[in-house]
Structures are given as structure tokens and as C-alpha cells.
Amino acid sequence: DDDQSIYRFQGANVENKNAFMKKSSIGGILFFSPLKGIITNEFNPVQSHYGLDIVSKQNEAIKAVLDGTVILTNWTLESGYVIMIQHQQDIISVYKHNSALLKREGDIVKAGEPIAIVGETGELSTGPHLHFELWNDGTPVNPNDYISF
């Protein structure tokens, strides 16, 4: 589920009442859940799966996990419609397999704001779900350690 080219950050450093902290935090930050659903595929960097797959109902809104700036909106054969957001403290969130993107590159978003619609676009999709990645200082981290889904 990983696009080797665009989504690797090779050394580049790229308070909400509804936010949830889970087991730990990155610099004390509280993250908003991008989507409520069932995790069907866990974070597994050994298998190059740098995020979580979260199954939800078709057409559910996906929300920004933190305030930030949209740095990429794209469509790829593998991942379908993708949106990437740069947040404070060198945090980047990535949302893949969307049926539609609600924001464009350069847009400023707030935590909890709808940014995309759940879909099943891309060859690596096996039904309506969100593939969600969280990167900190250019390294993928397990979103399940920080966010309640």
C-alpha cells in the first residue's frame, strides 16, 4: 500500500474537544481521529505497510487529524486519490484510496475538518477504506499509538 516514490521522506522534514490521545503523544499533541471504523490491516513497516487500513461506510467523510496545510493532492494507480497534510512539529498525515478529495494543494485545514471521502480507488484497494499514514521527522509511526479509531 506504499507508493515508493512520492511518499518516502528521504531525510526531508516535511486543542480540540473531539481529539483523542491514545497510548502516547508526539510532543504532547492531541490528534483528531480521521475516521471511525474497524482497523483491518495494522501498521507493519517490515512489510512496507506504513499505515493503518480503516474500513468504514462508503461516502463517510475523512477528517484532518491536526491543523495544517495540504501539501499534495494526487491520483496514483496504486493508491487512487491521495491527500497529504503538513502539520506542526514535522508531522505529515497521508490519506489514501479516497473516492473524492475536498481540498487542494495549499489549502489550510483545521483539525476535524472534512478533507476527503472514503473510497476504494487504486489497484491496491480491496473495498471502501482509508489507508492512513502518520510520519514524524521523515519516519513512519504507528497511528494506532496516538489516535483512537
Side-chain angles (χ1 to χ4, degrees):
D1 222 31
D2 177 53
D3 290 338
Q4 300 289 329
S5 57
I6 301 173
Y7 308 110
R8 273 244 208 261
F9 305 107
Q10 301 163 337
N13 288 333
V14 237
E15 308 281 330
N16 191 308
K17 66 179 177 166
N18 293 321
F20 297 99
M21 228 169 67
K22 203 157 182 182
K23 301 165 193 136
S24 57
S25 67
I26 298 172
I29 295 173
L30 297 176
F31 293 86
F32 193 95
S33 179
L35 184 70
K36 289 296 183 190
I38 298 166
I39 296 171
T40 58
N41 197 358
E42 297 282 347
F43 177 80
N44 188 340
V46 173
Q47 294 182 350
S48 298
H49 193 255
Y50 298 109
L52 300 174
D53 290 340
I54 305 150
V55 172
S56 186
K57 289 180 259 177
Q58 185 78 33
N59 298 322
E60 285 287 310
I62 296 167
K63 299 171 181 77
V65 295
L66 296 169
D67 294 352
T69 303
V70 177
I71 57 171
L72 177 101
T73 55
N74 201 356
W75 186 91
T76 70
L77 190 60
E78 295 83 13
S79 298
Y81 289 104
V82 177
I83 188 165
M84 187 181 298
I85 303 173
Q86 172 76 58
H87 309 285
Q88 63 183 337
Q89 297 185 21
D90 293 319
I91 297 169
I92 292 176
S93 57
V94 183
Y95 313 76
K96 297 181 180 180
H97 303 303
N98 306 292
S99 64
L101 302 180
L102 305 177
K103 301 296 179 184
R104 298 188 314 247
E105 288 178 24
D107 285 352
I108 305 296
V109 297
K110 294 287 184 195
E113 183 176 349
I115 56 166
I117 303 297
V118 166
E120 53 182 317
T121 58
E123 291 183 344
L124 297 180
S125 183
T126 55
H129 76 286
L130 168 65
H131 173 85
F132 174 72
E133 298 178 9
L134 198 58
W135 294 70
N136 185 226
D137 288 328
T139 302
V141 296
N142 186 347
N144 209 20
D145 289 344
Y146 307 101
I147 303 169
S148 294
F149 297 93

